[in-house]
Amino acid sequence: MEGSHLIIRDEEFRQLKSVLRRILLESHSKVVFLVDKNGQLLCSVGEEEGYDTMALSSLAAGNIAASGGLARLIGEKEFSILFHQGEKDNMHISLIDNRVILVVIFDARTPVGLVRLRVKKSNRNVLRVLEEIDARLHFTADEEMIFEELTDEDIDKLFK
């Protein structure tokens, strides 16, 4: 499913928000958001009103893509974690399963080590939800194939 768009249902959206909310609370961060590799914002929690999350999502995806190019130049596959330190706020960006990007914005009161720890522990929960989405999409694709095999004649027979 790499490079494909995610189609998230309400329950999966709630599960992802729950994972993000837990990161937010346990790391004492300001805002946490999840983005696909195309820069599409999937969900966010925290003090979102202070940030342009759409622009941040696009730029975070671009940042991951650019750092991937830098990594390849030095013989690495990728840099899966990026950290930007500002005067007031810091940003931790991590690539999960080469599919989605988790962005955590936090201030100087929160040590980066705490953010890294909470993000690392939460990755498997994000992956679990992504696997559920994959399983559902695979099931849906199988269902669609069944309907593709039906002919007009088959449908007519159903109503006779």
Side-chain angles (χ1 to χ4, degrees):
M1 294 283 168
E2 183 180 325
S4 64
H5 293 281
L6 289 173
I7 300 170
I8 301 173
R9 290 190 174 164
D10 286 344
E11 178 57 29
E12 296 151 350
F13 180 76
R14 280 191 289 275
Q15 291 175 1
L16 288 172
K17 278 198 95 124
S18 175
V19 172
L20 300 189
R21 197 170 294 110
R22 188 170 181 166
I23 295 169
L24 181 81
L25 294 174
E26 292 181 350
S27 68
H28 309 289
S29 298
K30 296 172 100 177
V31 65
V32 179
F33 51 101
L34 191 65
V35 180
D36 72 10
K37 281 190 77 175
N38 298 318
Q40 179 77 36
L41 178 65
L42 300 175
C43 62
S44 59
V45 297
E47 303 168 19
E48 304 160 61
E49 60 279 347
Y51 300 96
D52 182 351
T53 53
M54 300 298 267
L56 280 169
S57 299
S58 296
L59 293 171
N63 199 344
I64 285 288
S67 69
L70 289 171
R72 284 186 290 281
L73 287 174
I74 65 167
E76 289 290 327
K77 183 178 173 189
E78 65 185 14
F79 295 132
S80 61
I81 296 174
L82 305 173
F83 173 68
H84 299 283
Q85 184 173 3
E87 286 184 27
K88 297 183 301 184
D89 291 334
N90 306 308
M91 184 180 299
H92 183 278
I93 303 173
S94 57
L95 181 62
I96 301 174
D97 196 34
N98 203 28
R99 297 177 63 192
V100 294
I101 301 163
L102 183 67
V103 179
V104 180
I105 298 175
F106 56 101
D107 60 23
R109 294 175 294 174
T110 302
V112 66
L114 178 62
V115 173
R116 287 188 70 175
L117 177 68
R118 296 303 177 203
V119 166
K120 186 176 181 180
K121 286 188 172 190
S122 298
N123 281 357
R124 66 177 167 262
N125 293 328
V126 172
L127 284 173
R128 182 182 44 77
V129 177
L130 293 176
E131 288 169 0
E132 288 176 17
I133 293 169
D134 289 345
R136 178 180 48 79
L137 292 177
H138 181 71
F139 181 73
T140 303
D142 289 346
E143 285 178 332
E144 288 176 4
M145 289 180 65
I146 291 170
F147 290 114
E148 287 178 0
E149 294 172 359
L150 287 176
T151 63
D152 289 341
E153 187 176 306
D154 293 331
I155 294 171
D156 288 342
K157 286 180 185 175
L158 290 173
F159 295 103
K160 286 185 179 179

